[in-house]
Amino acid sequence: GLGLSALATPVFWREASEERFIMTRFLPLSYTPEVAEALRIGGPLVALESTIISHGMPYPQNVQTAQEVENLLRERGVTPATIGILDGVVHVGMGPQQLERLGKLGLACKKVSRRDLAAVVAARQNGATTVSATMMIAHLAGAGVNVCSLFRHPVVRDGWDWRSAPGCRGVLGCI
């Protein structure tokens, strides 16, 4: 299990920021080596929401589509960082086995918005991140751009989901 030291110390962050340290102090973030390297060198990195994997498509098409999107980004020199929660650990970037697990969980996986994040992590549950949770986690992790499916959302104005992501306005680019 995760001890206090694993929760109290961020795995990695790009710059020394008191705000980021405080916000991640008890949020267990796990980075893939690919994402950690991109953050370390300041390379292009795009955060990807994961609810489209768990709640948007059936298995196995969901996993296949997620891998295709990640590969498309890699082909263009961008590091993908699919964000999801497995056993209460927030993953910034997911490996093939983690994507597969999230995809197989499907609707059994929690749909996690910003408001749900603490509860899902504290209960060590599995969760797929919505746009608002993905944006917040990406910001904490140091990623500046988030790819999401906001165009499908019923409450969108000027590219933002104003019901659940007002605190993220101006923090991240969302394409």
Side-chain angles (χ1 to χ4, degrees):
L2 290 172
L4 182 58
S5 62
L7 296 174
T9 307
V11 176
F12 179 84
W13 69 71
R14 184 173 17 184
E15 60 192 53
S17 168
E18 189 64 28
E19 176 190 37
R20 205 172 286 150
F21 174 74
I22 292 169
M23 294 180 80
T24 61
R25 186 168 178 196
F26 294 104
L27 183 62
L29 296 178
S30 174
Y31 297 76
T32 61
E34 179 183 28
V35 169
E37 179 63 12
L39 288 169
R40 187 185 71 75
I41 65 171
L45 180 77
V46 173
L48 302 164
E49 68 164 312
S50 54
T51 53
I52 192 73
I53 300 168
S54 63
H55 290 73
M57 294 182 224
Y59 179 83
Q61 291 87 1
N62 56 358
V63 176
Q64 179 183 0
T65 301
Q67 291 170 337
E68 288 173 4
V69 168
E70 287 192 349
N71 289 333
L72 184 68
L73 288 167
R74 285 185 187 101
E75 289 169 7
R76 286 159 175 75
V78 178
T79 301
T82 299
I83 296 178
I85 304 164
L86 294 172
D87 301 317
V89 177
V90 178
H91 292 271
V92 182
M94 300 183 95
Q97 295 84 6
Q98 294 164 327
L99 284 174
E100 185 80 18
R101 183 171 171 207
L102 190 67
K104 284 183 178 178
L105 281 168
L107 297 176
C109 187
K110 301 279 186 192
K111 188 173 181 180
V112 181
S113 184
R114 285 172 23 143
R115 69 176 176 264
D116 311 309
L117 186 59
V120 171
V121 169
R124 296 186 179 181
Q125 295 175 325
N126 300 308
T129 57
T130 64
V131 172
S132 64
T134 300
M135 291 172 71
M136 185 181 87
I137 293 164
H139 174 66
L140 294 174
V145 178
N146 173 25
V147 174
C148 56
S149 58
L150 273 176
F151 62 90
R152 296 176 39 178
H153 203 286
V155 184
V156 173
R157 191 172 347 142
D158 301 324
W160 293 93
D161 173 359
W162 292 101
R163 290 185 312 170
S164 59
C168 292
R169 184 172 185 221
V171 173
L172 298 170
C174 186
I175 56 175

